[in-house]
Amino acid sequence: MDFYLIHDKETFHFPVNPSELMIVEGKNLQTVDVVELGEFDVYNGRKITEISFSSFFPAVYDTYCRYRNIPNPVEALKKLRTWMYDEEPLRFIVTMTHLNILVVISNLTSYFRG
């Protein structure tokens, strides 16, 4: 299984697979209160699907990496941050699954370990 983000003609291959991938889907319901009848849920279409996962960018290659020529962690994070603020959607692909969809990065959490 491999995780990719594609922006225009540039492909980013995550060097380390996340331990889990969470996908949240749902209905967009609005609850209305009708006098003397009670509450009713009104269907307003689908909610935006949320996909979340956690990975990391190692400074040097190790056996858990998906490929040998891994990106510099600072440059990789910089690229993802740039794409997050770009208005164009990205193609998100996870091989060996059904995921091949357009996405936007809504938030990006980063921290550094020694």
Side-chain angles (χ1 to χ4, degrees):
M1 185 178 299
D2 288 286
F3 290 67
Y4 295 94
L5 280 174
I6 301 169
H7 182 266
D8 291 330
K9 294 181 177 139
E10 191 173 3
T11 300
F12 182 81
H13 185 185
F14 284 87
V16 178
N17 278 350
S19 59
E20 65 183 12
L21 174 73
M22 185 166 59
I23 302 169
V24 178
E25 298 178 271
K27 293 180 182 179
N28 189 7
L29 298 176
Q30 179 181 3
T31 303
V32 294
D33 191 9
V34 179
V35 177
E36 295 188 24
L37 292 176
E39 291 184 343
F40 292 91
D41 287 332
V42 178
Y43 178 66
N44 288 326
R46 293 173 51 170
K47 283 187 177 182
I48 292 176
T49 300
E50 296 178 28
I51 300 172
S52 62
F53 61 90
S54 178
S55 186
F56 65 98
F57 303 118
V60 295
Y61 171 82
D62 206 335
T63 56
Y64 50 78
C65 295
R66 299 297 296 162
Y67 54 93
R68 287 201 175 272
N69 191 17
I70 61 173
N72 173 287
V74 174
E75 292 302 314
L77 191 56
K78 182 179 175 183
K79 179 185 305 262
L80 293 179
R81 190 175 294 118
T82 299
W83 289 356
M84 179 175 65
Y85 290 111
D86 193 352
E87 293 182 11
E88 293 295 316
L90 307 164
R91 171 85 39 202
F92 180 58
I93 298 172
V94 180
T95 61
M96 298 169 45
T97 71
H98 69 284
L99 287 175
N100 182 344
I101 57 175
L102 292 176
V103 298
V104 293
I105 301 172
S106 61
N107 60 50
L108 183 63
T109 304
S110 58
Y111 57 92
F112 297 88
R113 289 190 195 171

